[in-house]
Amino acid sequence: MNDKLLVLGTMAYDAIESPFGKTGKILGGCATYIGLAASQFKIQCGLVSVIGDDFKTAHTNLLSSKGLDLSGVVTIPGEKTFFWSGKYHNDLNTRTTIDTQLNVLTKFDPKVPEKFKDASIVLLGNLDPNIQAAVLDQMSAPKLVVMDTMNFWIESYREKLDEMIRRVDVLSINDEEARQLTETHSLVEAAQKLQALGPQYIIIKKGEHGALLFHEKRIFCAPALPLEEVFDPTGAGDSFIGGFAGYLSQRGSIAFEDMKTAVIMGSAMASFTVQKFGTECLESLSFEQLKKRILAFKSLSDFEIELI
Ligand code: AMP
């Protein structure tokens, strides 16, 4: 397996309200969070996305400075960048979308750069399933296809979404969306129903309660680090999956044991994201800090037991 990761997703401006404050328009988008998280690993990571001419050069420079390849990012002149605004409730685990302005997304015709067509891992971030399909069609023979989605696409693009789910190896969604997609309350049963559609691996993200990885009859449960301060959960899911795919690309293996470590990497990455508003924490994250946090994850659920 080579070390190339191709990421499809939004580069966006977000306006966020949490019990701890409110932001103006700040940098966001799933490709942004995924890219920042994946840039912690020694891999070649290319983003396929679309922006308007209002997208700040400082923001493209920030992503390039992290070693991300932006040759698959198109600018549509005269159009505005995708905009999303959301409000978190007191538990910080649930949120309401206030506004979604697709803007440039309605004109997006994704083109995978030649040098990334042979990427071994493709990460189809939360986006219109028609666009996800168009990107997957351009890839030569990826070893692992990972897909994320959210309620917006589940509600309005169900048929195409089901078609896409059949084509991927790993489906990553949150608990509420897993229940919505399968009309099932039990997450174990929901994961079985989703596996029956095609993906061999299902990841169910449970916010502050961690994440579950399902594969055949096996289940791996990753904790979420109990943090003193959580300011803004935006991008936690994207940072999670970016860390997951980034680690697997570097590792060059998709064995279940490596997937487990990848889930922990993703959880650690998400734990940083939620500690500040937007991308602030990921922007300055060092690999040393990441390593320390991985050890904290390990000690969190490490125990010895002697069964008589
Ligand atoms: P997460 O909190 O991980 O679910 O991701 C939040 C990010 O997803 C924000 O930065 C948004 O810009 C982006 N986003 C929100 N809604 C959509 C959507 N319908 N399609 C694509 N990206 C979205």
Side-chain angles (χ1 to χ4, degrees):
M1 188 184 267
N2 66 25
D3 58 354
K4 275 191 217 166
L5 170 66
L6 192 272
V7 174
L8 164 72
T10 45
M11 285 164 67
Y13 284 121
D14 293 344
I16 299 153
E17 207 177 319
S18 93
F20 304 103
K22 207 173 167 174
T23 71
K25 274 192 182 183
I26 58 168
L27 176 64
C30 58
T32 306
Y33 283 103
I34 293 171
L36 287 173
S39 71
Q40 288 292 332
F41 302 96
K42 292 182 190 70
I43 54 167
Q44 290 180 63
C45 178
L47 305 187
V48 170
S49 192
V50 62
I51 51 178
D53 45 20
D54 58 338
F55 200 82
K56 295 196 175 86
T57 312
H59 291 147
T60 39
N61 287 348
L62 165 76
L63 298 173
S64 304
S65 74
K66 300 286 178 188
L68 298 165
D69 185 305
L70 304 186
S71 55
V73 177
V74 266
T75 306
I76 303 189
E79 297 287 338
K80 279 190 168 170
T81 297
F82 174 79
F83 173 77
W84 175 80
S85 89
K87 181 178 176 171
Y88 289 89
H89 308 143
N90 277 342
D91 65 355
L92 286 174
N93 248 359
T94 50
R95 73 179 174 205
T96 305
T97 290
I98 298 168
D99 195 7
T100 301
Q101 294 173 18
L102 297 176
N103 300 330
V104 283
L105 272 195
T106 58
K107 297 191 173 151
F108 186 28
D109 179 18
K111 295 269 181 304
V112 178
E114 239 6 91
K115 60 184 168 205
F116 278 99
K117 286 191 174 164
D118 65 348
S120 52
I121 301 190
V122 183
L123 173 38
L124 304 170
N126 164 34
L127 208 59
D128 178 343
N130 290 292
I131 298 177
Q132 292 178 320
V135 164
L136 191 52
D137 289 343
Q138 294 172 55
M139 303 304 294
S140 51
K143 300 225 170 51
L144 194 74
V145 182
V146 184
M147 175 183 159
D148 199 1
T149 193
M150 72 184 267
N151 50 4
F152 184 85
W153 306 110
I154 297 173
E155 282 150 23
S156 332
Y157 293 73
R158 187 58 202 265
E159 219 172 290
K160 190 68 191 177
L161 185 71
D162 284 351
E163 209 180 285
M164 270 313 291
I165 291 175
R166 282 185 215 110
R167 297 180 64 189
V168 307
D169 304 298
V170 183
L171 176 67
S172 161
I173 44 173
N174 73 28
D175 43 3
E176 197 186 317
E177 290 150 4
R179 292 188 170 113
Q180 185 183 6
L181 260 173
T182 58
E183 293 171 8
T184 306
H185 185 77
S186 151
L187 292 179
V188 175
E189 216 181 299
Q192 283 165 355
K193 284 190 178 174
L194 292 169
Q195 273 175 295
L197 295 177
Q200 295 178 52
Y201 302 88
I202 306 293
I203 295 174
I204 301 185
K205 298 164 286 183
K206 299 192 298 156
E208 64 172 333
H209 305 298
L212 296 167
L213 168 69
F214 297 85
H215 175 55
E216 294 167 351
K217 294 266 172 250
R218 286 183 279 188
I219 305 177
F220 175 65
C221 175
L225 209 62
L227 296 165
E228 266 170 52
E229 289 173 336
V230 175
F231 279 104
D232 167 23
T234 309
D238 304 318
S239 316
F240 172 92
I241 207 66
F244 172 86
Y247 173 77
L248 287 179
S249 300
Q250 178 180 287
R251 183 83 184 147
S253 157
I254 51 169
F256 189 67
E257 285 308 307
D258 292 309
M259 291 253 181
K260 282 163 56 174
T261 312
V263 167
I264 297 292
M265 285 290 173
S267 305
M269 218 65 88
S271 75
F272 284 109
T273 294
V274 303
Q275 283 187 303
K276 291 202 175 144
F277 273 100
T279 53
E280 202 184 329
C281 210
L282 278 193
E283 282 178 33
S284 58
L285 180 67
S286 70
F287 197 70
E288 277 313 303
Q289 287 173 296
L290 180 62
K291 277 203 307 207
K292 268 196 200 150
R293 193 149 286 186
I294 296 292
L295 295 177
F297 266 91
K298 194 164 183 314
S299 64
L300 191 67
S301 45
D302 227 14
F303 64 90
E304 283 177 21
I305 189 163
E306 209 175 304
L307 292 173
I308 314 153

